Amino acid sequence: MKHLYGLRREELADWLKTELNEPSYRATQLFEWMYQKRVTKFKDMTNLPKHLRTKLEESAVLDTSAERLRQTSKDGTVKFLLGWSDAVTAETVLMRHDYGNSVCVSSQIGCKMGCNFCASTLGGMIRQVSAGEMVEQLLHSQKLLDREGGRVSSIVMMGSGEPMDNLDEVFRFMDIVHDEKGLNIGFRHITISTVGIVPGIKRLADDGRPVTLAVSLHAVTDEKRSSMMPVNKAYPIAKLLDACHYYVEHTGKRISFEYALIGGENDSLQDARNLANLLKEIPNHINLIPVNYVPERDYTRTPEEQVEAFVKELQRLGMNATVRREKGHDISAACGQLRAEHEKQGVEN
């Protein structure tokens, strides 16, 4: 069965022509039903001929996921745990902001990067998430917003997994949701986050899609960063910053550097000065993130007064730095946390 959410419009047109012997223009009609009207049953696509609807019923599928869990925060953030037929689950988060609605999408089931402050890595890497499954995550949030008269305005690839370890499917996903006959979400409203996969950063720089790059830095020395993020042993800070310079030179876009503040680990004023010195030659925005508590980890949150002192020191040194506005702090907010809790309960039961 062909998963139609995983096809670009031109790929859908080719499949209709070569596999179903149908005219290519049907792809545009299908896209409108799938993405603009959000219809999931072929029999309800009334401007398609009956014989085509029958063919589609026999050879294609749309939504292949089921909602396993949902948590809703006091601030309106909604976290979904979606499951598929192979018994794996992935998280997606709908965040409501003053400037619009953002959806955080997972690109992998689990993660192999091993960052020791993140819940996504606790069960290791299970499998890649397909472009169609990423689309399903996005549509799950959009259908909730449909009941409120809202729409998804931006996407962040910051859920479970490393997007640049699944970049072909991430590119396909972005093309599908960007399509003007579909959800029509602009590339500039999509952010890809990476732990620092140098080849992926360079590939994104050469690609041409004007998405936003976010780099998870979290430490300013190789010794400290390697202890927190094993990827640093393959791509140490010097190589990572070289790739960041390459990205800026080829795109003209600034980079968002993510910096998780961890109590007693990387949150001193000297750490702030070292961070400013490290990034002073790269057009950037520094996004400070007080770390979420994860029961399986030992890290603690930086006290609020220290967070404020850290950001003020960066600003004093001329850096563009802000503290990420927390969403869903009263639910399982950390990446992978809801999935980890669900898996643990499954084992205990």
Side-chain angles (χ1 to χ4, degrees), residues 37 42 49 60-61 77-78 83 92 95 102 104 124 143 181 193 214 221 247 259 263 266 270 276-277 316 325 333 349:
K37 299 175 183 177
F42 297 119
V61 293
T77 299
V78 183
T92 184
M95 297 167 286
S102 179
C104 183
K143 289 171 185 175
K181 295 299 183 180
S193 178
T221 67
Y247 178 86
Y259 192 93
N266 64 351
Q270 187 57 52
N277 186 60
R316 184 186 70 81
R325 184 180 177 186
N349 294 336

Side-chain angles (χ1 to χ4, degrees), residues 191 212-216 254-258 283-287:
T191 298
T212 298
L213 172 64
V215 174
S216 295
R254 72 176 184 176
I255 296 172
S256 176
F257 286 96
E258 312 288 305
N284 71 80
H285 170 256
I286 299 174
N287 195 13

Side-chain angles (χ1 to χ4, degrees), residues 171 199-209 246-247 250-251:
F171 280 162
I201 293 172
K202 291 183 175 180
R203 183 179 171 191
L204 187 64
D206 294 335
D207 172 71
R209 296 174 180 87
Y246 182 90
Y247 178 86
H250 284 72
T251 67

